[in-house]
Amino acid sequence: MMHFADSLTFSGRKVVAAWAALPFPALCGSSLPDILSAHQQDVPWKLLSSWREQKVSGCFAQSVVLRGICKERPASCRGQPRSPLHSCESPEQVLQQYLHTQFPGAFSTSHVLQQPCDTRPPFPQFFSPLLTRRGFLLDKAQGHSSAGVESIPALAALQSSPGLRSLLSGLCQDLRARNVRRWSSFFSAGVEQDDFQEALEELKTLSQCYETGFGADGSEDEADSN
């Protein structure tokens, strides 16, 4: 995972954030272009990492994996206007086009796997009754319980994004606010005061690497070089 994260970071950045959609919000009978076309204002996955911002404000680089959306699904629903996503020839192209639209200039890799995520026991059964046994959304609940969900479509993403600046700078501020001299066990474990202060400065410098003005202008050129 550390080497994978390294492949998504440049310009001094070392941290990526995790996002996921579990399950991926796919209506029963809809195609991937239909699903993504309904999420033009906000991406259909949520932040797993712990910082206050819950929306994607931009991206330097990312890797996205979607699984469980059947490739044989129809290209579009009857009566729905066609979009650039509907003109793509494969699910991989659909997802890549969507990422390019949502994050212009970002370095993006994407993969679409047909096999869904298995949710049979002992997987926690916390699903809504609005899901079919294969994890697709329904307009109204069916008779079976949520325990009957055997698999779900899922999406996972790792992103190097400007929002990480607030997470890293917040961590740095919290550590500076602590009087570590009162924690004798902290330094008796082998940590030196000078090393601790140096680590704080490195954390502050790392957070500055995620400022939009610091790296956004060169992110597209660096992405192309990768």
Side-chain angles (χ1 to χ4, degrees):
M1 182 61 72
M2 181 176 63
H3 294 299
F4 185 38
D6 285 344
S7 68
L8 298 174
T9 53
F10 37 79
S11 297
R13 306 178 191 111
K14 300 179 180 180
V15 180
V16 293
W19 301 75
L22 192 74
F24 184 71
L27 289 172
C28 187
S30 296
S31 67
L32 182 57
D34 297 333
I35 299 165
L36 294 179
S37 293
H39 293 276
Q40 296 292 336
Q41 301 301 318
D42 196 10
V43 295
W45 51 87
K46 301 298 182 182
L47 178 68
L48 300 182
S49 302
S50 57
W51 92 73
R52 297 173 184 174
E53 296 182 29
Q54 292 294 317
K55 290 187 177 181
V56 184
S57 57
C59 182
F60 301 119
Q62 62 185 335
S63 179
V64 181
V65 177
L66 172 64
R67 57 187 300 179
I69 302 297
C70 184
K71 295 184 178 182
E72 288 75 25
R73 292 190 177 278
S76 63
C77 295
R78 179 177 300 178
Q80 180 175 341
R82 294 185 63 84
S83 70
L85 295 177
H86 287 88
S87 63
C88 296
E89 297 181 357
S90 67
E92 290 81 4
Q93 292 181 2
V94 172
L95 182 56
Q96 190 67 28
Q97 175 65 31
Y98 179 76
L99 295 176
H100 176 73
T101 301
Q102 295 292 323
F103 308 100
F107 170 64
S108 300
T109 64
S110 60
H111 302 277
V112 178
L113 308 177
Q114 187 168 354
Q115 182 179 3
C117 179
D118 189 357
T119 57
R120 290 172 295 185
F123 195 95
Q125 298 300 304
F126 48 67
F127 299 109
S128 165
L130 290 175
L131 291 183
T132 68
R133 293 185 181 275
R134 295 183 58 196
F136 291 94
L137 291 170
L138 297 168
D139 292 332
K140 60 181 180 179
Q142 290 188 334
H144 66 79
S145 67
S146 60
V149 178
E150 299 177 352
S151 65
I152 57 170
L155 181 143
L158 289 179
Q159 286 187 340
S160 173
S161 62
L164 282 165
R165 179 184 181 279
S166 62
L167 184 149
L168 295 171
S169 61
L171 175 60
C172 185
Q173 293 173 6
D174 288 344
L175 291 173
R176 289 186 185 279
R178 303 292 188 271
N179 185 3
V180 294
R181 294 182 182 276
R182 299 175 56 184
W183 303 343
S184 58
S185 60
F186 185 77
F187 293 103
S188 63
V191 179
E192 299 291 340
Q193 177 68 30
D194 291 342
D195 293 338
F196 178 73
Q197 293 300 326
E198 182 180 353
L200 287 181
E201 290 301 319
E202 291 178 351
L203 184 60
K204 178 181 178 181
T205 300
L206 178 61
S207 70
Q208 293 172 347
C209 293
Y210 289 87
E211 292 180 359
T212 304
F214 183 90
D217 293 339
S219 62
E220 183 172 359
D221 293 337
E222 291 185 55
D224 292 339
S225 67
N226 281 279

